[in-house]
Amino acid sequence: MSEVFARIVSVAMISVFMQNAIFDRAFGANVAIYASRKNEHVVGFTFGITVMTTLASIISYFFDKLVMPLENGYLFMPLIYVGIIGILYVAGLLIMWKFFHKMFRKVKQYAHLAIFNCTVIGALFLNSNYGSDLASYIGYGFGTGIGFFLACFMLNIAHERLDSEKIPRIFRGYPIMLIYIGIVSLAFNVLVGYTAEF
């Protein structure tokens, strides 16, 4: 049991720092820029993405083991991944609507942005390519969400400083955030060296 937990933690750490969804793979940069504008969005979006990547990774593990060995099974995986994400999305909204009605009213207009983005589906594709066991799938799914939180938190901190009069008007907003993401991505790649595969 301790070996499985150690595997989950090590793969999660790799996906948070070495293979960060935004800074290493550019998954979900648009959503991260949008979410980083408000503090409560950072927490809400990253919570939704973390739950979705973790649950979808667990479910996709079993589908990968079932469908991937088939001849041309990999051709069906994108459709299966979208189906998994769609079912989890609807189930999550129904559960919130039934049991957490106040939260549902707040979340319903943003839930699709947090759930249907390339961070979630990208985590599933990377799991199918590099994941070997259930612990790897869980660790990478959970770590992708935590890495997304780290990136959104860094963008949130930078948002106030980058939205100043000192920055030329043409670069304010989205362009300066993309430049900032590019610079931080370079720093992440220098710090961790070559990207480690799990």
Side-chain angles (χ1 to χ4, degrees), residues 12-189:
M13 290 296 107
I14 288 172
S15 67
V16 170
F17 297 109
M18 293 184 184
Q19 294 183 349
N20 187 285
I22 295 174
F23 297 138
D24 185 51
R25 305 224 183 246
F27 289 160
N30 252 358
V31 174
I33 290 171
Y34 178 78
S36 67
R37 293 180 183 164
K38 295 182 180 178
N39 292 340
E40 62 270 10
H41 285 179
V42 170
V43 174
F45 273 81
T46 55
F47 179 75
I49 287 173
T50 303
V51 168
M52 182 57 72
T53 55
T54 305
L55 291 176
S57 293
I58 293 169
I59 295 169
S60 71
Y61 169 77
F62 297 105
F63 278 100
D64 283 350
K65 296 303 175 197
L66 184 67
V67 177
M68 290 295 268
L70 301 174
E71 185 179 346
N72 297 323
Y74 64 92
L75 295 174
F76 298 104
M77 294 319 294
L79 183 61
I80 291 171
Y81 294 155
V82 170
I84 290 169
I85 293 167
I87 290 169
L88 288 174
Y89 170 71
V90 171
L93 285 180
L94 287 174
I95 289 169
M96 283 194 305
W97 176 70
K98 184 73 173 167
F99 299 109
F100 307 102
H101 200 66
K102 287 183 181 179
M103 185 189 309
F104 174 75
R105 280 188 266 142
K106 291 179 184 178
V107 169
K108 69 178 179 180
Q109 63 186 9
Y110 302 112
H112 64 283
L113 293 173
I115 305 308
F116 291 105
N117 66 59
C118 58
T119 304
V120 177
I121 200 157
L124 300 182
F125 276 114
L126 291 172
N127 268 334
S128 69
N129 288 329
Y130 301 115
S132 56
D133 56 355
L134 183 59
S136 297
Y137 276 66
I138 294 170
Y140 196 78
F142 182 74
T144 298
I146 300 302
F148 190 87
F149 172 74
L150 172 71
C152 277
F153 180 72
M154 291 176 71
L155 293 177
N156 181 273
I157 292 171
H159 189 268
E160 294 177 13
R161 291 185 174 93
L162 293 176
D163 193 27
S164 77
E165 297 294 324
K166 295 178 182 178
I167 295 174
R169 185 176 184 91
I170 197 164
F171 286 112
R172 284 187 209 149
Y174 195 74
I176 195 67
M177 289 303 280
L178 288 177
I179 292 169
Y180 176 73
I181 289 171
I183 292 170
V184 173
S185 297
L186 290 171
F188 261 69
N189 282 321

